[in-house]
Amino acid sequence: RKEVEQDPGPFNVPEGATVAFNCTYSNSASQSFFWYRQDCRKEPKLLMSVYSSGNEDGRFTAQLNRASQYISLLIRDSKLSDSATYLCGETGNMLTFGGGTRLMVKP
Amino acid sequence: DTGVSQDPRHKITKRGQNVTFRCDPISEHNRLYWYRQTLGQGPEFLTYFQNEAQLEKSRLLSDRFSAERPKGSFSTLEIQRTEQGDSAMYLCASSLSQDNEKLFFGSGTQLSVL
């Protein structure tokens, strides 16, 4: 079983829609988590960290559910520019990434 | 550009050859990581350094792979006796140890083993 798992998608949504991704992790001792964004043929970039209390940055909200061992990312009012692959993961000495969820926002 | 730089951008080699990649991290970053990524997958951890010390290496990493960071600045990743399964994007990233979830990635080296 992989340490971090994601639905690969793709999620196809219209502009303005709200979309949510989940990501499950297997290590119950993991303390901190994150979401990275990766555009096609580009390197990953940190989108946001995920705290126990949740984290919100504009249209993006990340939540942690320790009981069920998953983290989520909610994107409100989707823009065409949100089209990308979203990588979740956990932070230890190194970052362990999931396989990524592909989002395609259509006009 | 003061970001993470990797060289070369692309490498095509024949099976059985040795290849070496270079990574120059952001200058004030003391941690340096190597990841490998194949199409449709997330980055897979290979190894990381804090300054010049190699602190962790993936259990999945074959002994054909070796990495160095001799002066705590740039790093090299060498793959000996390449195999077709080594074909992937090799990503380098750097960070500050106190902010280790904020990795800055380079553009990667795309390796194709024929």
Side-chain angles (χ1 to χ4, degrees), chain B residues 19-35:
Chain B
V19 294
T20 300
F21 310 141
R22 177 181 169 119
C23 172
D24 287 89
I26 293 172
S27 57
E28 61 266 29
H29 285 182
N30 53 357
R31 285 198 174 185
L32 186 148
Y33 304 78
W34 285 100
Y35 283 82

Side-chain angles (χ1 to χ4, degrees), chain B residues 4 9 17-18 21 35 43-46 51-52 70 86 88 109:
Chain B
V4 178
R9 291 294 303 275
Q17 297 295 304
N18 299 343
F21 310 141
Y35 283 82
E44 175 191 20
F45 170 76
L46 296 179
N51 301 312
E52 66 275 10
D86 297 333
T109 294

